[in-house]
Amino acid sequence: MGKKLKVGKARKDKFYHLAKETGYRSRSSFKLIQLNRKFQFLQKARALVDLCAAPGGWLQVATKFMPVSSLIIGVDLVPIRPIPNVVALQEDITSDKCRQAIRKELQTWKVDVVLNDGAPNVGANWQHDAFTQAHLTLMAMKLAAEFLTKGGTFVTKVFRSKDYQPLLWIFQQFFKKVQATKPQASRNESAEIFVVCQGFLAPDKIDSRFFDPKHAFKEVEVQAKTVKELIPVKKPKAEGYKDGDLTLHYSFTVTSFLKAENAVDFLDKASEITFDNTDLEFHPATSIEIRECCRDIKVLGRKELRLLLTWRATLRRFLAKKLKGEAKPLDPEINLSSDEEKGGFEDEPDKKKKKEGEEEEEDEEKEMEKKLAELKAEEVSELKRKKKKLLKERRKQRERVELKMDLPGVSIADSHDSSMFSLSAIKKKQALADLAKGDMRAAENLAEDDDYFHLSEDDEADKISLASDLDDDDLEEVELRQQELEMKAPKKKVKFAEEEEEDEGQDSGLLVELEGKDEKKQRETNLWFSKGIFSEIGLEGDAESELQQTELLQNKQAIKGKKRKAEAVEEEKEEEKKDALREEEKAVPLKEAKDETDDSDDDTDDEKEITKMKQVTEGAGGMSEGAKETGFQVVPVESTSKKARILDAEGMALGCLIATSKKRARDLLDGSFHRFAISEQQWEVPEWFLDDERKHRKKPVPVTKEMVEEYKQKWKEIDARPIKRVAEAKARKKRRMLKKMDQAKKKAEAVVDTVDISEREKMSQLKSIYKKAGLGKEKREVTYLVSKKGAGKKVRRPAGVKGAFKVVDGRMKKDMRGMQRKEQKSKGGKGRGQAKGGKGGMKGGKGRKGR
Ligand SMILES: C[S@@+](CC[C@H](N)C(=O)[O-])C[C@H]1O[C@@H](n2cnc3c(N)ncnc32)[C@H](O)[C@@H]1O
């Protein structure tokens, strides 16, 4: 076959798959199988020449159906991969060299069958392609005439073009019986047809003009012409002239055009419109184009005719107005020059006026109606668009639910703006900063501003699904949280803090960086040494030792913080995570103390003190316990720029309260300023004290248990869901599987439909199809046995072992384990997350080595 294979999807029909399955080189093999089934020419043949045989599908069929040790020769422009018992020649069948090559192979033999499935490289244009094809067929016929034995069969492909008939005529001159057929395997849309010519007459002498395309195709062209001539051409029905009317050209005046009852009929009849009224002729609406159009109506197109109709309407309006006395005539003398019109108007002026007025109204009404109809149509199309969009969304949601990417009624993909719970979305940082300073007016303004809450006050808020409240970032956070919970590794949290530190300086709406890194450090140092205890020691003036002390104390503080944190992690890992999330959400940034030396105002002092405490505690590296209690914590800016805050059930319930009542929101904000809000955690206090504080220094949150339960339930649903990427991967896998199944089904159907192969063969093909698609038997379970003899040795089936078993080397397993232990030990200090990775590696090792 030529190199340019059509590999479009459409080509891959059942015969394509069948050929692949049965090992035939081309789908056209089935065409020959079907032709042979009908005409039975292969079974009796002892020698065969297949012209245009590459890649060799027909040759394969020939070897299969012809008696063993038959002579089979295949010829093609391109090389044919070897086929047992087939002689393959690489020649152009239109050349003399090809003829000689075949002669050389056949010697004195004649063949019983000549096949031709030639298809030249096509693509120039249809006519050219058709001719090349016909020419190729003619050349094949020429070879057949030379090499066929008397009574032999010639099977050829022909394209149904204008040369089809001449070819058939030629075939009929050489064969007893010529039959055209289209096997099932030939596509319906293809113009190819197969002609089976049986009973070669083997004439002693053949006129060379038979195979000269000029002669061969010309002859029948003439025939075809005669045939054409035979077909009676339908003459148009003669209508004749109307009685007594011998005119072809009709000229009418413009007034008659204006007065015509049916303007369209008038234009249909008229050939010309002349101007009998100068008033109308020089009317501004009578443009040069209109005048030109009036000259020859018969040649006008749709557009021009419409133009004339509009012009007519304008003139009619103008006349009506004029009659009412509204319009001044351009030329009073020629106002109504037409006798006909004059008479008409003079006779019944009132009637005419009335009529004109009515017509005008009618026109206006019509226009109105038209506009209304247009508007309606627009509305309808808009509605349709909306409906379509809605249906599309629903369909998508359904698909997602089917693929287990969503819960029914809950959509991850929902992109409603519900950033109510995202601090990063809150833009009113100034107001919140004022609020942090204790300015209650700011709180009121904030609460009154609907934008702040993002959610409408109606009950919709309750209906909004939890998942749809989450934007992409939130979802990522949920996934992260799930992964965290799965891993249960404290390492992650530490990493979080690191990341947050790295992201410093990024703008994040509400949560902004208060100062640079160095400034912060400096301030913390100053803050630390501003304590009374240091003034007592009298370190002033000794800068160097002061610095050393600072570092020492800071390190100490940091170590303590870390130690405490590690302990907390050990005690209640999960609990702490939830707390952390809740605390993060509740966090409100406190404005930096402006001037630390200024202590004139008491209120400002208190505020500064709070800020200092929090900052120092944070500087120590651990999360402030006091902050947990009070609901306040200095939120590091960097984290919010990337991570959305996730609320726990209690937080969600609180959020719901805030969203539904402005008063409650205000109360809540007011309530957050209480005596427990001041953290004293920085002082050295015993652990039991802290425990006690944790238990009792909490202001109860005004949410009911039921509300919390409800939100917990929602969280559970979300937690139970596989993370987005996993769900997507699963869905992809499922889709692939379904596709594979589909393909296998198609192939299987094709095999079942085939009649040329035995049941047994069909069965084996079906089996292989299903096996390839992975739909066969389940993977058999193998039991691995550790034997002292070593792997690969023959061992008798031990008692209790059923099914397949494999003997593996015990030492190998031990070695592996030893190596893994060593590896783990070396990684020991690096945290649990890594240890887990090591475990994964172990598993991998096991799988690869098979124990
Ligand atoms: C449809 S394929 C034949 C398929 C073949 N019957 C089979 O079953 O595998 C048509 C072939 O005609 C060959 N062909 C076209 N023009 C030719 C020529 N002038 N001489 C020899 N072969 C030609 C092409 O190379 C191409 O391989």
Side-chain angles (χ1 to χ4, degrees):
M1 215 191 247
K3 276 183 183 171
K4 260 197 174 180
L5 280 170
K6 289 179 198 164
V7 283
K9 267 184 189 168
R11 276 199 77 80
K12 296 180 178 177
D13 64 350
K14 65 175 179 179
F15 289 105
Y16 169 87
H17 293 295
L18 195 58
K20 286 252 158 201
E21 286 305 315
T22 48
Y24 283 123
R25 292 184 184 180
S26 64
R27 64 182 293 291
S28 45
S29 312
F30 296 99
K31 295 176 195 170
L32 186 62
I33 291 175
Q34 283 157 10
L35 288 171
N36 182 55
R37 199 186 317 137
K38 195 170 176 186
F39 299 98
Q40 302 285 326
F41 47 84
L42 288 178
Q43 285 80 347
K44 295 168 268 164
R46 297 285 303 164
L48 172 144
V49 173
D50 182 6
L51 305 169
C52 307
W58 279 24
L59 290 172
Q60 286 176 307
V61 176
T63 49
K64 196 171 173 186
F65 287 90
M66 278 168 71
V68 194
S69 75
S70 301
L71 174 62
I72 301 170
I73 300 170
V75 188
D76 201 288
L77 275 177
V78 296
I80 304 163
R81 266 186 297 134
I83 297 171
N85 305 322
V86 170
V87 178
L89 302 174
Q90 190 182 346
E91 298 291 348
D92 178 354
I93 65 158
T94 59
S95 68
D96 200 46
K97 204 174 144 227
C98 172
R99 195 182 58 82
Q100 284 166 10
I102 298 172
R103 166 68 45 229
K104 201 174 157 193
E105 287 300 327
L106 287 176
Q107 302 291 347
T108 52
W109 270 46
K110 292 264 182 186
V111 295
D112 303 298
V113 177
V114 173
L115 304 175
N116 169 45
D117 189 21
N121 251 349
V122 288
N125 67 53
W126 163 248
Q127 260 186 340
H128 179 264
D129 294 348
F131 175 77
T132 328
Q133 176 64 41
H135 179 237
L136 198 69
T137 314
L138 196 66
M139 292 305 107
M141 176 61 229
K142 191 180 176 187
L143 288 177
E146 184 171 350
F147 297 113
L148 264 183
T149 179
K150 198 172 179 178
T153 306
F154 174 51
V155 178
T156 182
K157 176 158 82 182
V158 186
F159 279 86
R160 279 169 293 181
S161 65
K162 73 179 176 59
D163 301 322
Y164 173 63
Q165 287 299 338
L167 279 172
L168 269 194
W169 180 80
I170 293 167
F171 298 153
Q172 279 157 359
Q173 310 312 308
F174 291 95
F175 295 90
K176 260 191 206 159
K177 207 173 177 186
V178 177
Q179 278 169 285
T181 180
K182 191 166 173 76
Q184 201 199 343
S186 171
R187 291 169 209 279
N188 280 343
E189 61 271 22
S190 161
E192 74 180 12
I193 198 163
F194 287 84
V195 180
V196 181
C197 313
Q198 288 169 305
F200 183 56
L201 298 170
D204 294 333
K205 210 173 170 228
I206 297 170
D207 191 336
S208 62
R209 279 180 298 176
F210 266 117
F211 307 116
D212 180 357
K214 271 186 211 157
H215 276 89
F217 299 136
K218 190 179 149 197
E219 180 108 339
V220 191
E221 220 170 78
V222 175
Q223 278 178 14
K225 258 185 194 166
T226 21
V227 173
K228 260 188 198 168
E229 276 161 16
L230 285 174
I231 300 167
V233 183
K234 255 195 179 177
K235 270 191 184 173
K237 208 179 155 192
E239 283 175 349
Y241 290 100
K242 275 183 190 168
D243 282 344
D245 185 5
L246 302 171
T247 332
L248 280 175
H249 189 86
Y250 289 96
S251 182
F252 292 105
T253 59
V254 68
T255 24
S256 57
F257 179 43
L258 295 188
K259 282 200 291 179
E261 256 183 35
N262 190 331
V264 179
D265 282 352
F266 179 93
L267 288 176
D268 184 39
K269 200 178 167 199
S271 310
E272 183 193 14
I273 295 174
T274 55
F275 288 91
D276 56 347
N277 184 329
T278 40
D279 212 2
L280 301 176
E281 191 178 354
F282 298 109
H283 189 274
T286 315
S287 61
I288 300 168
E289 193 185 359
I290 294 282
R291 266 177 234 207
E292 278 302 313
C293 290
C294 288
R295 253 179 225 158
D296 196 350
I297 312 282
K298 292 283 177 223
V299 296
L300 300 186
R302 236 180 140 77
K303 196 180 138 206
E304 288 83 17
L305 287 173
R306 206 175 294 141
L307 207 73
L308 281 185
L309 288 174
T310 326
W311 172 62
R312 180 178 177 264
T314 319
L315 290 188
R316 280 169 72 98
R317 266 200 299 279
F318 162 72
L319 278 180
K321 271 186 194 170
K322 203 168 81 169
L323 285 170
K324 275 184 206 166
E326 283 172 20
K328 281 181 186 169
L330 294 172
D331 182 354
E333 275 177 28
I334 48 164
N335 185 16
L336 294 167
S337 57
S338 145
D339 290 346
E340 186 193 7
E341 205 155 68
K342 244 182 199 173
F345 283 120
E346 272 171 7
D347 285 346
E348 314 170 74
D350 286 346
K351 210 174 155 190
K352 275 273 169 198
K353 255 190 204 175
K354 213 176 157 191
K355 208 179 163 194
E356 291 287 341
E358 272 171 16
E359 271 170 6
E360 200 183 334
E361 267 172 30
E362 251 175 48
D363 278 352
E364 271 168 19
E365 255 175 44
K366 266 182 199 168
E367 234 168 73
M368 284 280 280
E369 269 171 25
K370 206 175 142 191
K371 271 184 189 162
L372 272 174
E374 273 172 14
L375 279 173
K376 222 172 187 180
E378 252 175 48
E379 244 173 57
V380 169
S381 66
E382 177 71 14
L383 266 174
K384 268 187 191 168
R385 245 198 322 274
K386 275 184 187 164
K387 200 177 159 192
K388 214 170 156 188
K389 203 176 157 193
L390 199 79
L391 287 173
K392 197 177 163 190
E393 268 169 23
R394 277 195 201 150
R395 201 187 60 234
K396 269 191 181 173
Q397 167 69 5
R398 260 203 312 278
E399 273 172 17
R400 292 176 78 83
V401 171
E402 270 169 29
L403 295 171
K404 302 252 181 309
M405 288 168 76
D406 255 346
L407 292 172
V410 178
S411 170
I412 302 177
D414 217 340
S415 56
H416 297 304
D417 181 19
S418 48
S419 42
M420 153 82 191
F421 304 110
S422 171
L423 278 184
S424 55
I426 301 171
K427 299 279 187 290
K428 309 222 167 211
K429 50 189 174 189
Q430 186 52 49
L432 279 171
D434 291 346
L435 192 68
K437 276 198 283 177
D439 184 355
M440 277 304 108
R441 269 171 307 161
E444 259 159 51
N445 290 341
L446 203 62
E448 262 151 37
D449 194 345
D450 275 350
D451 288 351
Y452 169 61
F453 292 106
H454 287 277
L455 286 179
S456 62
E457 284 187 30
D458 57 28
D459 293 338
E460 278 294 303
D462 291 335
K463 291 177 200 160
I464 294 172
S465 76
L466 194 62
S468 62
D469 283 343
L470 308 174
D471 54 25
D472 281 355
D473 285 351
D474 292 341
L475 277 165
E476 246 176 51
E477 188 69 22
V478 174
E479 286 171 17
L480 222 109
R481 210 185 120 179
Q482 283 185 339
Q483 281 166 1
E484 262 183 55
L485 285 172
E486 276 166 27
M487 302 262 295
K488 289 190 179 172
K491 179 81 187 166
K492 195 88 192 172
K493 206 166 171 188
V494 177
K495 210 180 162 198
F496 246 65
E498 281 165 10
E499 272 173 20
E500 283 170 1
E501 224 158 88
E502 272 167 29
D503 289 344
E504 265 181 6
Q506 284 184 27
D507 185 21
S508 64
L510 172 66
L511 306 166
V512 289
E513 179 56 285
L514 303 174
E515 59 200 345
K517 244 183 180 177
D518 293 344
E519 282 171 322
K520 195 173 169 185
K521 208 166 184 180
Q522 183 63 39
R523 188 175 44 73
E524 280 169 8
T525 316
N526 292 342
L527 203 66
W528 183 253
F529 285 99
S530 68
K531 289 178 188 297
I533 188 166
F534 292 107
S535 61
E536 275 169 38
I537 307 167
L539 281 174
E540 289 99 337
D542 192 350
E544 208 179 308
S545 63
E546 189 179 326
L547 209 71
Q548 279 171 3
Q549 284 287 342
T550 313
E551 276 171 13
L552 215 84
L553 283 162
Q554 275 186 329
N555 286 346
K556 202 179 156 190
Q557 197 74 352
I559 290 163
K560 268 183 193 166
K562 276 180 190 169
K563 206 177 154 190
R564 206 178 301 148
K565 198 179 164 194
E567 278 167 16
V569 164
E570 292 272 311
E571 279 168 17
E572 39 181 311
K573 282 172 206 154
E574 268 193 54
E575 194 52 42
E576 198 189 63
K577 261 177 217 162
K578 279 183 185 169
D579 277 355
L581 286 166
R582 186 165 55 229
E583 291 308 319
E584 274 176 4
E585 189 53 43
K586 284 178 189 165
V588 179
L590 293 176
K591 211 179 173 188
E592 181 199 353
K594 280 175 202 160
D595 187 2
E596 282 170 32
T597 49
D598 182 6
D599 48 5
S600 57
D601 186 26
D602 280 348
D603 286 351
T604 335
D605 265 358
D606 285 347
E607 184 194 310
K608 263 191 269 171
E609 197 54 38
I610 297 167
T611 323
K612 277 178 204 170
M613 284 177 195
K614 289 181 188 307
Q615 281 161 346
V616 170
T617 329
E618 208 192 22
M623 184 198 268
S624 153
E625 291 298 322
K628 278 186 194 173
E629 312 258 324
T630 57
F632 281 87
Q633 179 205 349
V634 177
V635 180
V637 178
E638 53 282 6
S639 64
T640 51
S641 64
K642 273 195 170 177
K643 309 282 174 227
R645 295 279 164 261
I646 302 294
L647 291 175
D648 63 354
E650 200 177 72
M652 295 294 281
L654 254 176
C656 185
L657 281 182
I658 291 170
T660 47
S661 160
K662 280 182 191 173
K663 190 178 173 297
R664 252 183 251 157
R666 206 165 36 230
D667 289 348
L668 214 67
L669 281 168
D670 286 349
S672 60
F673 293 90
H674 52 83
R675 64 195 177 93
F676 302 134
I678 302 165
S679 166
E680 292 169 3
Q681 186 234 302
Q682 60 157 322
W683 301 327
E684 279 298 316
V685 282
E687 195 55 42
W688 63 263
F689 179 80
L690 284 176
D691 281 347
D692 197 54
E693 292 287 276
R694 241 176 259 137
K695 269 178 216 157
H696 304 297
R697 291 191 69 171
K698 258 184 196 160
K699 198 172 159 64
V701 198
V703 286
T704 59
K705 257 188 175 180
E706 289 75 38
M707 282 171 85
V708 176
E709 255 330 293
E710 189 189 323
Y711 283 101
K712 261 188 190 167
Q713 197 52 40
K714 285 188 177 175
W715 267 126
K716 260 187 196 169
E717 277 172 18
I718 288 182
D719 282 347
R721 222 162 44 187
I723 58 174
K724 196 174 156 194
R725 258 166 263 146
V726 174
E728 277 171 357
K730 275 186 183 169
R732 273 200 302 275
K733 201 176 165 190
K734 200 171 169 185
R735 264 203 302 272
R736 272 202 298 271
M737 191 66 198
L738 286 174
K739 207 176 154 192
K740 251 187 180 179
M741 289 261 284
D742 252 17
Q743 281 171 352
K745 215 171 135 190
K746 261 190 202 163
K747 283 181 196 173
E749 273 170 11
V751 171
V752 172
D753 286 350
T754 323
V755 276
D756 309 299
I757 48 175
S758 67
E759 288 301 313
R760 217 166 136 195
E761 219 173 313
K762 273 185 193 174
M763 203 56 198
S764 76
Q765 278 173 23
L766 286 176
K767 264 185 197 166
S768 82
I769 288 169
Y770 283 112
K771 199 175 163 190
K772 269 185 201 166
L775 305 168
K777 276 188 218 160
E778 290 284 306
K779 230 182 174 184
R780 60 182 192 150
E781 291 249 323
V782 180
T783 315
Y784 292 96
L785 295 174
V786 180
S787 155
K788 281 177 192 168
K789 285 184 185 176
K793 299 277 161 41
K794 277 212 165 183
V795 176
R796 278 174 62 191
R797 180 186 293 276
V801 175
K802 281 180 185 170
F805 69 93
K806 201 173 175 184
V807 182
V808 290
D809 196 336
R811 279 166 301 176
M812 208 154 127
K813 191 177 172 185
K814 271 184 194 166
D815 291 350
M816 283 288 285
R817 281 190 179 162
M819 265 159 62
Q820 279 157 6
R821 258 199 301 276
K822 242 187 198 174
E823 210 174 292
Q824 238 174 337
K825 261 185 201 169
S826 65
K827 280 183 187 172
K830 290 183 184 175
R832 214 178 146 189
Q834 279 178 339
K836 252 205 154 179
K839 225 176 180 182
M842 256 198 290
K843 271 186 188 166
K846 264 180 193 176
R848 269 198 309 280
K849 300 283 177 187
R851 237 67 351 152

